[in-house]
Amino acid sequence: QVQLAESGGGLVQAGDSLRLFCEASGRTGSTYPMGWFRQAPGKEREFVAAISGPGGITYYADSMKGRFIISRDNAKNTVYLQMNSLKPEDTAVYYCAADPWATGWATGEEKYYDYWGQGTEVTVSS
């Protein structure tokens, strides 16, 4: 079993930056491919970014490319999401998730992610 805990959310202004953290604990959680997703009020959850187990391969949703950066430090069992030039439409609850079988993490599809955190809320004011 893997436990994931997000942190780092908060209230910021448009144009600001924010760094989210996802700490993994439990069974080899630090080596799984990981993803970030988000769910805005009244909308379905959507893919944000994903990173391979070793950290050398990353994928992003088109709308996040160039603004968001996913990274990880396996020694600290932590995955990061650096969010720059934030916009009001980035307001959402952000979730991290783990794909323990490493089968479909790069597709961005939720069905491949078996473990999820509780989410951290990000609010961007205009």
Side-chain angles (χ1 to χ4, degrees):
Q1 191 74 7
V2 175
Q3 293 80 42
L4 303 175
E6 303 94 336
S7 62
L11 173 63
V12 296
Q13 293 186 332
D16 285 352
S17 297
L18 200 61
R19 195 183 199 193
L20 304 184
F21 303 80
C22 173
E23 185 172 0
S25 59
R27 189 174 180 179
T28 63
S30 65
T31 62
Y32 296 156
M34 299 287 292
W36 283 98
F37 294 78
R38 70 183 186 184
Q39 187 168 21
K43 295 186 177 181
E44 294 187 353
R45 191 156 57 187
E46 65 175 345
F47 170 73
V48 174
I51 188 166
S52 61
I57 302 173
T58 58
Y59 293 97
Y60 297 91
D62 287 343
S63 61
M64 284 60 150
K65 287 180 181 177
R67 294 195 302 126
F68 291 8
I69 301 171
I70 187 171
S71 62
R72 67 190 301 161
D73 184 340
N74 286 343
K76 296 182 178 179
N77 297 329
T78 302
V79 177
Y80 308 95
L81 184 67
Q82 178 68 39
M83 304 187 294
N84 302 317
S85 302
L86 283 163
K87 306 173 183 179
E89 50 264 44
D90 294 318
T91 294
V93 177
Y94 284 72
Y95 300 88
C96 66
D99 174 3
W101 303 107
T103 54
W105 63 275
T107 68
E109 295 182 43
E110 292 188 28
K111 65 181 181 181
Y112 294 106
Y113 291 83
D114 290 346
Y115 300 110
W116 292 80
Q118 295 300 307
T120 185
E121 189 169 0
V122 174
T123 303
V124 184
S125 64
S126 58

